[in-house]
Amino acid sequence: MNKISEALDQYTGICKETIVDSAAKLSKSFEKIIIDVLLLYMVIPGKINFTQMGKYGRHGEQTYRNNFGRLRSKSLNWLRFNVSLALRYFGSEGRKAIAIDPCYLSKAGKKTPHIGRFWSGCAGAVKHGLEIMGLGLIDIDSHNCMMLRAHQTPGNFELKKRNMTLVDHYIAVIKRYRKELLKLSNLIVADAFFSTRTFYDGIRKHGFHLISRFRDNAHLCYLYEGERSGKRGRPKMIDGKIDLKKLDMSRMLPIFVDGLPGMAYTLIAYSKALKCKVRLVIWIMPDKKRKLFFSTDTSLSGEDVLDFYRTRFQIEFCYRDAKQHCGLTDSQARDANKLDCAFNASFASLNVAKVMMKERGMDYSMSNFKLLMTNTFLTKRIFEASRYRPNQNLINHIFKELFGCAA
């Protein structure tokens, strides 16, 4: 059965090695269940919930329910687990940053923890459901993202009880995981929603810089570069507002990024909203519209700022693949711990799949990979149930056909 279970053994082998690398102190029985859960997320076709796990897994449905609920007391740190996978996938070298992005998850009912009304980017409206704050590690050189942690967002009613805003909660999430995140990068990349002074001041206290995009009507100023007057008082720092329709080209440098239509220019400017100097990138698109990207770390080049922000979108593909193939929206649990485990197991199984595809030299396709894993799992299960051990050398072509069926 070695050839039949080769793909499954490699997948579970990566899970075992990662648990060891993440220094998780787990009992052998709980470790087996976690590895079994991560495998089930990759082999179950259709919806992935406790009922399906009971049908496909080696344990009963209630066993999975109980262990999902006890996960936080069992010392499995999802962040360290995923960091280990990310470094295995990207390597320790290269330009990296932390990408953050809230993600809306559709959910009916009224009894689910932290349920409320959240912004859905796909619908372009506020909808009833759940939201998770996703933390991912992006690598500029490979132009990819690996998810690190999902943290559920409380509903509006709970936030009011805690006297917090959504932005306060997002800052608290970053603060909670700051020690592990700072080991990877001190750069946080986020969309234009986070380009506010409240958010920037909140993360700056914990040692992070922000890369984001300003609103199109942001108030930005040139820096004064002339001689000092020698008079008493604060030296002159601002030298006029930046007029996006009449740019002073003598104060900025052109930058060139592969695949970027239009023209882009960079300079050090002053942001009135953030009350600080920023590395500003002005992108003039072919239709003459302007987009403003920035980094509060002024030592970065304009090319780096654009590369980091453009790579941020890779976190959206992680959400897409987790929803379509790894059951991110399928959990029917009504317990906060079980939901937390379900969200993070979904992302962890996606990360393991990425590592395995890279190490096997496969083109990245979650659809094809999941078909391979599902077909392999079912083929192995059929042979185990029939207690038949075929001659693998004679019917090797049949195995290949079974594993690649419908792929």
Side-chain angles (χ1 to χ4, degrees):
M1 300 291 285
N2 292 336
K3 196 170 289 186
I4 298 177
S5 60
E6 179 184 357
L8 303 178
D9 291 342
Q10 183 178 353
Y11 186 92
T12 54
I14 292 172
C15 295
K16 290 178 182 177
E17 292 166 10
T18 307
I19 288 174
V20 173
D21 291 342
S22 62
K25 299 178 180 179
L26 307 177
S27 64
K28 289 186 178 180
S29 59
F30 188 68
E31 181 180 325
K32 287 180 180 178
I33 290 175
I34 287 297
I35 293 172
D36 190 31
V37 166
L38 294 178
L39 179 62
L40 290 174
Y41 267 86
M42 199 48 59
V43 302
I44 294 177
K47 287 191 175 293
I48 303 171
N49 50 38
F50 294 129
T51 304
Q52 290 287 78
M53 288 181 185
K55 291 178 181 178
Y56 284 83
R58 298 181 180 276
H59 307 278
E61 177 184 340
Q62 195 61 43
T63 301
Y64 293 112
R65 288 183 183 274
N66 293 340
N67 281 281
F68 266 53
R70 300 192 196 111
L71 182 66
R72 289 189 178 180
S73 62
K74 293 287 186 176
S75 304
L76 179 61
N77 188 317
W78 286 114
L79 182 61
R80 291 181 185 174
F81 183 90
N82 289 318
V83 165
S84 180
L85 287 170
L87 294 179
R88 181 170 176 171
Y89 186 77
F90 292 136
S92 57
E93 303 298 326
R95 298 174 295 166
K96 296 180 176 63
I98 309 301
I100 63 171
D101 192 39
C103 177
Y104 166 80
L105 303 177
S106 177
K107 186 74 172 179
K110 299 180 181 179
K111 301 297 182 181
T112 305
H114 307 316
I115 200 159
R117 293 180 62 79
F118 299 98
W119 174 259
S120 169
C122 293
V126 175
K127 297 182 68 177
H128 179 81
L130 303 177
E131 183 186 88
I132 55 173
M133 175 64 159
L135 305 174
L137 181 67
I138 56 174
D139 183 83
I140 309 306
D141 301 315
S142 63
H143 199 67
N144 212 324
C145 176
M146 294 283 277
M147 295 303 297
L148 299 179
R149 190 69 165 82
H151 195 97
Q152 196 175 349
T153 303
N156 293 333
F157 183 72
E158 293 175 74
L159 287 173
K160 285 181 181 178
K161 274 188 172 181
R162 301 178 190 181
N163 197 24
M164 295 176 68
T165 64
L166 265 180
V167 173
D168 292 334
H169 169 72
Y170 297 147
I171 295 170
V173 172
I174 294 171
K175 178 183 177 182
R176 179 172 184 169
Y177 304 112
R178 68 186 183 279
K179 290 183 180 179
E180 296 293 336
L181 297 179
L182 283 171
K183 294 176 184 177
L184 301 171
S185 176
N186 68 338
L187 299 174
I188 288 182
V189 190
D191 61 21
F193 173 82
F194 295 92
S195 60
T196 64
R197 187 179 179 187
T198 303
F199 181 76
Y200 171 59
D201 286 348
I203 65 172
R204 183 180 58 179
K205 294 176 184 176
H206 306 300
F208 293 99
H209 284 288
L210 177 64
I211 298 175
S212 185
R213 182 172 71 84
F214 283 125
R215 293 172 57 181
D216 296 342
N217 62 349
H219 189 127
L220 300 163
C221 301
Y222 294 108
L223 294 181
Y224 178 73
E225 297 176 349
E227 295 183 359
R228 294 190 177 184
S229 64
K231 298 179 180 179
R232 295 177 63 186
R234 182 182 179 183
K236 184 177 180 180
M237 184 173 65
I238 296 173
D239 192 20
K241 183 180 177 181
I242 298 177
D243 186 349
L244 295 179
K245 294 182 180 179
K246 297 179 181 179
L247 295 175
D248 185 351
M249 296 301 177
S250 64
R251 296 174 181 257
M252 55 191 69
L253 296 172
I255 58 176
F256 304 94
V257 177
D258 292 339
L260 185 72
M263 293 294 296
Y265 302 91
T266 184
L267 73 157
I268 304 294
Y270 181 82
S271 167
K272 187 175 180 181
L274 300 183
K275 305 295 183 186
C276 69
K277 296 178 183 179
V278 296
R279 165 63 70 180
L280 179 67
V281 174
I282 304 172
W283 176 30
I284 304 176
M285 296 183 283
D287 60 0
K288 303 304 180 182
K289 290 183 179 179
R290 271 73 167 168
K291 293 295 180 185
L292 307 171
F293 306 96
F294 73 92
S295 168
T296 58
D297 182 358
T298 56
S299 65
L300 291 179
S301 67
E303 290 87 352
D304 284 341
V305 173
L306 269 179
D307 283 340
F308 276 117
Y309 191 83
R310 294 174 76 195
T311 307
R312 182 204 70 83
F313 197 77
Q314 293 295 316
I315 196 173
E316 302 288 354
F317 296 128
C318 291
Y319 287 140
R320 177 201 65 186
D321 290 340
K323 287 178 179 179
Q324 292 180 355
H325 305 290
C326 301
L328 181 62
T329 59
D330 294 345
S331 177
Q332 298 172 341
R334 293 195 298 180
D335 177 83
N337 288 349
K338 292 179 182 178
L339 284 171
D340 183 77
C341 179
F343 298 145
N344 286 286
S346 175
F347 288 130
S349 63
L350 176 64
N351 289 342
V352 175
K354 284 187 173 183
V355 170
M356 183 169 164
M357 278 187 271
K358 182 178 180 181
E359 294 183 354
R360 288 174 72 94
M362 299 172 60
D363 292 332
Y364 181 76
S365 171
M366 277 302 300
S367 177
N368 288 345
F369 182 79
K370 181 148 187 176
L371 277 171
L372 168 68
M373 294 295 288
T374 302
N375 293 343
T376 303
F377 179 83
L378 294 177
T379 303
K380 181 184 177 185
R381 177 66 70 87
I382 289 169
F383 281 122
E384 285 180 345
S386 63
R387 302 186 183 280
Y388 176 65
R389 294 185 175 274
N391 187 315
Q392 297 182 16
N393 294 325
L394 289 177
I395 60 171
N396 187 41
H397 65 286
I398 296 178
F399 286 143
K400 291 181 179 178
E401 185 177 346
L402 289 171
F403 297 160
C405 180

